[in-house]
Amino acid sequence: MDRMRAPRPELEHLVPYDAKDLKVDIALAANEHPANLPGEIIDKLASRLREFRFNRYPDPMASTLRGLIAEANGLEPSNVLVGNGGDELIFDLLLAWGGPGRKMIDAPPTFTMYGIDAQVSGTELVRIPRTADFSVDADAVLERLGEGDIDVVMLAHPNNPTGNITPETVLIDILNATDAIVLVDEAYFEFSRHTMRPHMERHPNLVILRTFSKAFSLAGLRVGYLLAHEDVVRELTKVRQPYSIDAFAQWVAATVFRERVVFQQAIRDIMRGRDTLMHGLSAFDGVTVYPSEANFILFRIDHASALWRDLLHNYSILIRDFTRTPGLEDCLRVTVGTDEENERFLAAMGEILSSRKASQILGNGAHARHGTVGELGY
Ligand code: PMP
């Protein structure tokens, strides 16, 4: 046979999630923690590495880690499900509550995986765009929920990439209006310090998602978890891959979680770095900065793509370009880095913007320098 059967037609227009994993000096594009695990934790792991049983399958439910997370959140282990990053759990939710003939609401611009997973799982996506200041359009969501046919709602809180949280009253109104599964994605909880956890007892349809990828320096191991009613967890165990969280990741994440006070100072430093970036960016002419409760900042500027390329090619700084996302034209997102990375980013911005200004004054084509860079194919 010299041909290959076509895949599912739904995939034809699907664009894979592109993490742009370019090798750069300063990587501020993926909302990761700027520092590796603290040395004391690495030493602790290293001292016990020889005893680690690489040859055995992992505990399917990550019981040790699950128990620790449950205890810390005042819940039972049956209310916790650990996954291969938050990403896996988002997908599992749609495997169980989405699918052909079922509908999910999201509020774009938001985390792109919600939409991708909806398409892959055959779930109909009902997009209710955010308002101009990126608030959830509560009236529109409540009205749509009133039709009674929505199965899942996904809201990032704080939202990625816009950085804002949704007022608790709005989330409660949504929970009161529906029996759909409402995923409140708290991937950035450790920076926002806002959680819907206190509302779980009253709302069995509330599901909270968290991750070890941001505040706990573990993006490379893929560990996330959700807090939910035990019936939700039970259904999800039917669709999940049994060994999705490998034994090494379970061990490291449990060690990190036990030692989590060690991370408090770094979290405070990141929040301080966020203020530095916020003030630094706001001081530039022509930059609109959006307030953030997370470890990243979204900003708007003319010719944003040219700026993104200039940062990459002339300064080896990678941030995230959202200019092709509806509602985020001319928007870029920068992750809070170390103090030095933040300073170098702001210094590079300063240089690029003053050279722009100079070339505008000279009237010699504002982006002569960027034009050549564009030819590299980005
Ligand atoms: N939710 C949101 C809002 C995110 O921004 C991310 C990561 N970018 C995730 C979930 C998934 O995180 P992970 O899979 O690394 O746990």
Side-chain angles (χ1 to χ4, degrees), residues 234-279:
R234 190 181 319 111
E235 295 308 308
L236 293 174
T237 57
K238 297 178 186 173
V239 298
R240 67 183 288 271
Q241 298 292 308
Y243 297 124
S244 63
I245 327 115
D246 68 70
F248 191 77
Q250 291 186 28
W251 176 48
V252 176
T255 307
V256 161
F257 202 73
R258 279 198 191 92
E259 307 279 331
R260 61 191 178 282
V261 286
V262 172
F263 290 81
Q264 272 168 8
Q265 185 55 46
I267 291 169
R268 279 196 288 270
D269 290 346
I270 289 169
M271 289 160 77
R272 198 174 31 75
R274 178 175 72 196
D275 290 344
T276 306
L277 284 179
M278 192 72 98
H279 289 125

Coordinates of all heavy atoms in Angstrom, one line a residue, residues 234-279:
R234 N -13.8 9.6 41.3 CA -14.1 8.2 40.9 C -14.3 8.1 39.4 O -13.8 7.2 38.7 CB -15.3 7.7 41.6 CG -15.5 6.2 41.4 CD -16.7 5.6 42.1 NE -16.9 6.1 43.5 CZ -17.9 6.8 43.8 NH1 -18.8 7.2 42.9 NH2 -18.1 7.2 45.1
E235 N -15.1 9.0 38.8 CA -15.3 9.0 37.4 C -14.0 9.2 36.6 O -13.8 8.6 35.6 CB -16.4 10.0 36.9 CG -17.8 9.8 37.5 CD -18.3 8.3 37.2 OE1 -18.2 7.9 36.1 OE2 -18.7 7.7 38.2
L236 N -13.2 10.1 37.1 CA -12.0 10.4 36.4 C -11.0 9.2 36.4 O -10.2 9.0 35.5 CB -11.3 11.6 37.0 CG -12.0 12.9 36.7 CD1 -11.4 14.1 37.5 CD2 -12.2 13.3 35.3
T237 N -11.1 8.4 37.5 CA -10.2 7.3 37.5 C -10.6 6.2 36.4 O -9.8 5.4 36.1 CB -10.2 6.6 38.9 OG1 -11.5 6.2 39.2 CG2 -9.6 7.5 40.0
K238 N -11.8 6.3 35.9 CA -12.2 5.4 34.8 C -11.5 5.7 33.5 O -11.4 4.9 32.7 CB -13.7 5.4 34.7 CG -14.5 4.9 35.9 CD -16.0 5.1 35.6 CE -16.8 4.7 36.9 NZ -18.2 5.0 36.7
V239 N -11.2 7.0 33.3 CA -10.7 7.4 32.0 C -9.2 7.7 32.0 O -8.6 7.8 30.9 CB -11.4 8.7 31.5 CG1 -12.9 8.5 31.3 CG2 -11.2 9.9 32.4
R240 N -8.6 7.8 33.1 CA -7.2 8.2 33.2 C -6.3 7.0 32.8 O -6.7 5.9 32.9 CB -6.8 8.8 34.6 CG -6.9 7.7 35.7 CD -6.6 8.4 37.0 NE -5.2 8.7 37.1 CZ -4.2 7.9 37.6 NH1 -4.6 6.6 38.0 NH2 -3.0 8.2 37.7
Q241 N -5.1 7.4 32.4 CA -4.0 6.4 32.2 C -3.5 5.9 33.6 O -3.1 6.8 34.4 CB -2.9 7.0 31.4 CG -3.2 7.5 30.0 CD -3.6 6.3 29.1 OE1 -2.8 5.4 29.0 NE2 -4.7 6.4 28.5
P242 N -3.5 4.6 33.8 CA -3.2 4.2 35.2 C -1.9 4.6 35.8 O -1.7 4.9 36.9 CB -3.4 2.7 35.2 CG -3.4 2.3 33.7 CD -3.9 3.5 33.0
Y243 N -0.9 4.7 34.9 CA 0.5 4.9 35.4 C 1.0 6.3 34.9 O 2.2 6.5 34.6 CB 1.4 3.8 34.9 CG 1.1 2.5 35.5 CD1 0.9 1.4 34.7 CD2 1.0 2.3 36.9 CE1 0.6 0.1 35.2 CE2 0.7 1.1 37.4 CZ 0.5 0.0 36.6 OH 0.2 -1.2 37.1
S244 N 0.1 7.3 34.8 CA 0.5 8.5 34.2 C 1.5 9.3 35.0 O 2.3 10.1 34.4 CB -0.7 9.4 33.9 OG -1.4 9.7 35.0
I245 N 1.5 9.2 36.3 CA 2.5 10.0 37.1 C 3.6 9.0 37.5 O 3.4 8.1 38.2 CB 2.0 10.6 38.4 CG1 0.5 10.9 38.2 CG2 2.8 11.8 38.8 CD1 -0.4 10.2 39.0
D246 N 4.8 9.1 36.9 CA 5.8 8.1 37.1 C 6.3 8.2 38.5 O 6.1 9.1 39.2 CB 7.0 8.3 36.1 CG 7.7 9.6 36.3 OD1 8.4 9.7 37.3 OD2 7.6 10.5 35.4
A247 N 7.0 7.1 38.9 CA 7.3 6.9 40.3 C 8.3 8.0 40.8 O 8.3 8.5 41.9 CB 7.9 5.5 40.5
F248 N 9.2 8.3 39.9 CA 10.2 9.4 40.2 C 9.5 10.7 40.5 O 9.8 11.4 41.5 CB 11.2 9.5 39.1 CG 12.4 10.3 39.4 CD1 13.5 9.7 40.2 CD2 12.6 11.6 39.0 CE1 14.6 10.5 40.6 CE2 13.7 12.3 39.3 CZ 14.7 11.8 40.1
A249 N 8.6 11.1 39.6 CA 7.9 12.3 39.8 C 7.1 12.3 41.1 O 7.0 13.3 41.8 CB 7.0 12.6 38.6
Q250 N 6.5 11.2 41.4 CA 5.7 11.1 42.7 C 6.6 11.3 43.9 O 6.3 12.0 44.8 CB 5.1 9.7 42.8 CG 4.0 9.4 41.8 CD 3.3 8.1 42.1 OE1 3.3 7.6 43.2 NE2 2.8 7.5 41.0
W251 N 7.8 10.7 43.8 CA 8.7 10.8 44.9 C 9.2 12.2 45.1 O 9.2 12.8 46.2 CB 9.9 9.8 44.7 CG 11.0 9.8 45.7 CD1 10.9 9.8 47.0 CD2 12.4 9.9 45.4 NE1 12.1 9.8 47.6 CE2 13.1 9.9 46.6 CE3 13.2 10.0 44.2 CZ2 14.5 10.0 46.7 CZ3 14.5 10.0 44.3 CH2 15.2 10.0 45.6
V252 N 9.7 12.8 44.0 CA 10.2 14.2 44.1 C 9.1 15.1 44.5 O 9.3 16.0 45.4 CB 10.8 14.6 42.7 CG1 11.3 16.1 42.8 CG2 11.9 13.7 42.3
A253 N 7.9 15.0 43.9 CA 6.8 15.9 44.3 C 6.4 15.8 45.8 O 6.1 16.8 46.4 CB 5.6 15.7 43.4
A254 N 6.4 14.5 46.3 CA 6.1 14.3 47.7 C 7.1 15.0 48.6 O 6.8 15.6 49.6 CB 5.9 12.8 48.0
T255 N 8.4 14.8 48.2 CA 9.5 15.5 49.0 C 9.3 17.0 48.9 O 9.4 17.6 50.0 CB 10.8 15.1 48.4 OG1 10.9 13.6 48.3 CG2 12.0 15.6 49.2
V256 N 9.1 17.5 47.8 CA 8.9 19.0 47.6 C 7.7 19.4 48.5 O 7.8 20.4 49.2 CB 8.7 19.3 46.1 CG1 8.0 20.7 45.9 CG2 10.0 19.3 45.4
F257 N 6.6 18.7 48.4 CA 5.4 19.1 49.1 C 5.6 19.1 50.6 O 5.2 20.0 51.3 CB 4.2 18.2 48.7 CG 2.9 18.9 49.0 CD1 2.4 20.0 48.2 CD2 2.1 18.5 50.0 CE1 1.2 20.6 48.4 CE2 0.9 19.2 50.3 CZ 0.4 20.2 49.5
R258 N 6.3 18.1 51.1 CA 6.6 18.0 52.6 C 7.5 19.2 53.0 O 7.4 19.8 54.1 CB 7.4 16.8 52.9 CG 6.6 15.6 53.0 CD 7.3 14.5 53.8 NE 6.6 13.2 53.7 CZ 6.8 12.3 52.7 NH1 7.8 12.5 51.8 NH2 6.1 11.2 52.7
E259 N 8.4 19.7 52.1 CA 9.3 20.7 52.4 C 8.8 22.1 51.8 O 9.6 23.0 51.6 CB 10.7 20.4 51.7 CG 11.3 19.1 52.0 CD 12.0 19.0 53.3 OE1 12.5 20.1 53.8 OE2 12.0 17.9 53.9
R260 N 7.5 22.2 51.6 CA 7.1 23.4 50.8 C 7.3 24.7 51.5 O 7.4 25.8 50.8 CB 5.6 23.3 50.4 CG 4.6 23.2 51.5 CD 3.2 22.8 51.0 NE 2.2 22.7 52.0 CZ 2.1 21.6 52.8 NH1 2.9 20.6 52.7 NH2 1.2 21.6 53.7
V261 N 7.5 24.8 52.8 CA 7.9 26.1 53.4 C 9.1 26.7 52.8 O 9.3 27.9 52.7 CB 8.0 26.1 54.9 CG1 6.7 25.9 55.6 CG2 9.0 25.0 55.4
V262 N 10.0 25.8 52.4 CA 11.3 26.3 51.8 C 11.0 27.2 50.6 O 11.9 28.0 50.2 CB 12.2 25.1 51.3 CG1 13.4 25.5 50.6 CG2 12.5 24.2 52.6
F263 N 9.9 27.0 49.9 CA 9.6 27.7 48.7 C 9.0 29.1 48.9 O 8.9 29.9 48.0 CB 8.7 26.9 47.8 CG 9.3 25.7 47.2 CD1 9.4 24.5 47.9 CD2 9.8 25.7 45.9 CE1 10.0 23.4 47.4 CE2 10.4 24.6 45.4 CZ 10.5 23.4 46.1
Q264 N 8.6 29.4 50.2 CA 7.9 30.6 50.5 C 8.7 31.9 50.1 O 8.2 32.8 49.5 CB 7.5 30.7 51.9 CG 6.1 30.0 52.1 CD 5.8 29.8 53.6 OE1 6.5 30.3 54.5 NE2 4.7 29.1 53.8
Q265 N 10.0 31.9 50.4 CA 10.8 33.1 50.1 C 10.9 33.3 48.6 O 10.7 34.4 48.2 CB 12.2 32.9 50.7 CG 13.1 34.2 50.6 CD 12.4 35.4 51.2 OE1 11.8 35.4 52.3 NE2 12.4 36.5 50.4
A266 N 11.1 32.2 47.8 CA 11.2 32.4 46.4 C 9.9 32.9 45.8 O 9.9 33.7 44.9 CB 11.6 31.1 45.7
I267 N 8.8 32.5 46.4 CA 7.4 32.9 45.9 C 7.3 34.4 46.2 O 6.9 35.2 45.3 CB 6.3 32.2 46.6 CG1 6.3 30.7 46.0 CG2 4.9 32.8 46.3 CD1 5.4 29.7 46.7
R268 N 7.8 34.8 47.4 CA 7.7 36.3 47.7 C 8.6 37.1 46.7 O 8.3 38.1 46.3 CB 8.2 36.5 49.2 CG 7.1 36.3 50.1 CD 7.4 36.9 51.5 NE 8.4 36.1 52.2 CZ 8.2 35.1 53.0 NH1 6.9 34.7 53.3 NH2 9.2 34.5 53.6
D269 N 9.8 36.5 46.4 CA 10.8 37.1 45.5 C 10.1 37.3 44.1 O 10.3 38.3 43.5 CB 12.0 36.3 45.4 CG 12.9 36.4 46.6 OD1 12.6 37.2 47.5 OD2 13.8 35.5 46.8
I270 N 9.4 36.3 43.7 CA 8.7 36.4 42.4 C 7.7 37.4 42.4 O 7.5 38.2 41.4 CB 8.2 35.0 42.0 CG1 9.3 34.0 41.6 CG2 7.2 35.1 40.8 CD1 8.9 32.6 41.5
M271 N 7.0 37.6 43.5 CA 5.9 38.6 43.6 C 6.6 40.0 43.6 O 6.0 40.9 43.0 CB 5.0 38.4 44.8 CG 4.1 37.1 44.5 SD 3.5 36.4 46.0 CE 2.2 37.5 46.4
R272 N 7.7 40.1 44.2 CA 8.5 41.4 44.2 C 9.0 41.6 42.8 O 8.9 42.8 42.3 CB 9.6 41.3 45.2 CG 10.2 42.6 45.6 CD 11.2 42.5 46.7 NE 12.0 41.2 46.7 CZ 13.0 40.9 45.8 NH1 13.3 41.8 44.9 NH2 13.6 39.8 45.8
G273 N 9.4 40.6 42.1 CA 9.9 40.7 40.7 C 8.8 41.2 39.8 O 9.0 42.0 38.9
R274 N 7.6 40.7 40.1 CA 6.4 41.1 39.3 C 6.2 42.6 39.5 O 5.9 43.3 38.5 CB 5.2 40.3 39.8 CG 3.9 40.6 39.1 CD 2.8 39.7 39.6 NE 2.4 40.0 41.0 CZ 1.7 39.2 41.8 NH1 1.3 38.0 41.4 NH2 1.3 39.5 43.0
D275 N 6.3 43.1 40.7 CA 6.1 44.5 40.9 C 7.2 45.3 40.1 O 6.9 46.3 39.5 CB 6.2 44.9 42.4 CG 5.0 44.4 43.2 OD1 4.0 44.0 42.5 OD2 5.1 44.3 44.4
T276 N 8.4 44.8 40.2 CA 9.5 45.5 39.4 C 9.2 45.6 37.9 O 9.3 46.6 37.3 CB 10.9 44.7 39.6 OG1 11.1 44.6 41.0 CG2 12.0 45.5 39.0
L277 N 8.8 44.4 37.4 CA 8.4 44.4 36.0 C 7.3 45.3 35.6 O 7.2 46.0 34.6 CB 8.1 43.0 35.5 CG 9.3 42.0 35.3 CD1 8.8 40.6 34.9 CD2 10.3 42.5 34.3
M278 N 6.3 45.3 36.5 CA 5.1 46.1 36.3 C 5.4 47.6 36.3 O 5.0 48.3 35.3 CB 4.1 45.8 37.5 CG 2.8 46.3 37.4 SD 1.9 45.3 36.2 CE 1.0 44.2 37.3
H279 N 6.2 48.0 37.2 CA 6.6 49.4 37.3 C 7.5 49.7 36.1 O 7.4 50.8 35.4 CB 7.3 49.8 38.6 CG 6.4 49.8 39.7 ND1 6.6 49.0 40.9 CD2 5.2 50.4 39.9 CE1 5.5 49.2 41.7 NE2 4.7 50.1 41.1

